Amino acid sequence: MDLRVGDVLRISCPFTEALVTGRQQSGGEVVLKWPWWSVDPDCEWIHWNGEVAIHGDAGRGEQARGLFRTDPAPHRLTTGDMCRVGIPPTLVHVIDVAHYSPPQETGRLPRPSRLVVVLPAGLSFDSRPEEQGESFDPDDDIPLAFDLTFRPYAFLEPGDEVADKAGRAWRFDGPWDWHPFDGAEPHEPAWPLRLLTRVNATTAEVEIAVADATNSGSHQEECARWSAVARTNPPSCARPPHVYHRREFR
């Protein structure tokens, strides 16, 4: 599935049996023999032991807790127990999409060529913390389901160049990532928009679709629609330059 920054998704993963190999009482953390992935024998600098730590303490806050859950709950599990691990249907929004060529070495297989970082609905991207969000490789063997709920500016493609109502030319790199060619303020386009170029070719049909989609409304209204679904405010800056895993690997 093609995913973008700003996408609001309902993510889920079927609950799958796993072995509890350890826990830390202080943080409500339970360590599992991960039922997915395998050790990468050709990775010489990262040696993964097949275990993943799940933060199950709700007191840590939803962002620190992560999206994976265990059944039974972590506080009811001890080393040697069998449980199930998965993600109940959860509304999230995408804060970063990274592509890697060649694929990243992580100590695990498959090696990711794409990572998508999400935050639960209700949480906003904040550039100040070093770590934020939870990352997933949509192409690995975890049976994740991503159901698109809302995509702001779905009628545009990253890299599109448009002219706005005031005649200013813009490049669209994402709903929060607009670049005016004149470098002036404001840094958001005035609707309606007229498509100038598209990397994959501009057609009359596509031009009409963009014009029709922006014939009424505004950038602010598109942001408001997103906020109503994501239950938070959109970031005021471009996509974050760095994002990190929240899940802990052993």
Side-chain angles (χ1 to χ4, degrees), residues 75-124:
H75 70 273
R76 297 175 55 190
L77 296 171
T78 59
T79 301
D81 286 349
M82 296 300 298
C83 69
R84 298 189 309 141
V85 60
I87 303 175
T90 305
L91 196 68
V92 300
H93 60 96
V94 178
I95 62 171
D96 191 57
V97 180
H99 297 269
Y100 303 98
S101 181
Q104 277 195 323
E105 290 189 22
T106 61
R108 309 175 303 279
L109 292 176
R111 294 182 178 183
S113 58
R114 178 172 61 144
L115 286 177
V116 176
V117 187
V118 302
L119 280 177
L123 294 179
S124 299

Side-chain angles (χ1 to χ4, degrees), residues 43-227:
C43 183
E44 299 180 352
W45 64 286
I46 301 177
H47 301 283
W48 181 53
N49 68 358
E51 297 179 346
V52 171
I54 303 294
H55 298 292
D57 185 358
R60 294 168 57 95
E62 286 301 310
Q63 184 171 317
R65 187 182 182 192
L67 296 175
F68 279 94
R69 301 286 185 266
T70 60
D71 181 21
H75 70 273
R76 297 175 55 190
L77 296 171
T78 59
T79 301
D81 286 349
M82 296 300 298
C83 69
R84 298 189 309 141
V85 60
I87 303 175
T90 305
L91 196 68
V92 300
H93 60 96
V94 178
I95 62 171
D96 191 57
V97 180
H99 297 269
Y100 303 98
S101 181
Q104 277 195 323
E105 290 189 22
T106 61
R108 309 175 303 279
L109 292 176
R111 294 182 178 183
S113 58
R114 178 172 61 144
L115 286 177
V116 176
V117 187
V118 302
L119 280 177
L123 294 179
S124 299
F125 167 72
D126 186 345
S127 61
R128 292 170 296 179
E130 182 177 295
E131 301 180 3
Q132 191 177 32
E134 187 160 356
S135 58
F136 298 93
D137 175 4
D139 310 308
D140 71 9
D141 52 5
I142 298 178
L144 295 168
F146 296 95
D147 297 318
L148 183 62
T149 299
F150 179 68
R151 169 171 286 176
Y153 282 96
F155 46 86
L156 293 180
E157 297 289 340
D160 279 357
E161 295 180 1
V162 303
D164 72 0
K165 181 179 180 180
R168 298 175 69 197
W170 300 77
R171 188 179 78 248
F172 170 81
D173 287 326
W176 332 130
D177 200 0
W178 285 92
H179 301 275
F181 281 67
D182 58 14
E185 296 284 353
H187 286 291
E188 57 188 44
W191 288 20
L193 304 178
R194 177 168 58 89
L195 183 63
L196 300 175
T197 63
R198 174 166 291 180
V199 173
N200 297 327
T202 304
T203 66
E205 183 179 357
V206 171
E207 291 176 358
I208 292 171
V210 171
D212 287 346
T214 59
N215 187 50
S216 62
S218 66
H219 175 80
Q220 291 82 4
E221 289 182 33
E222 189 77 353
C223 290
R225 292 177 62 204
W226 182 88
S227 294

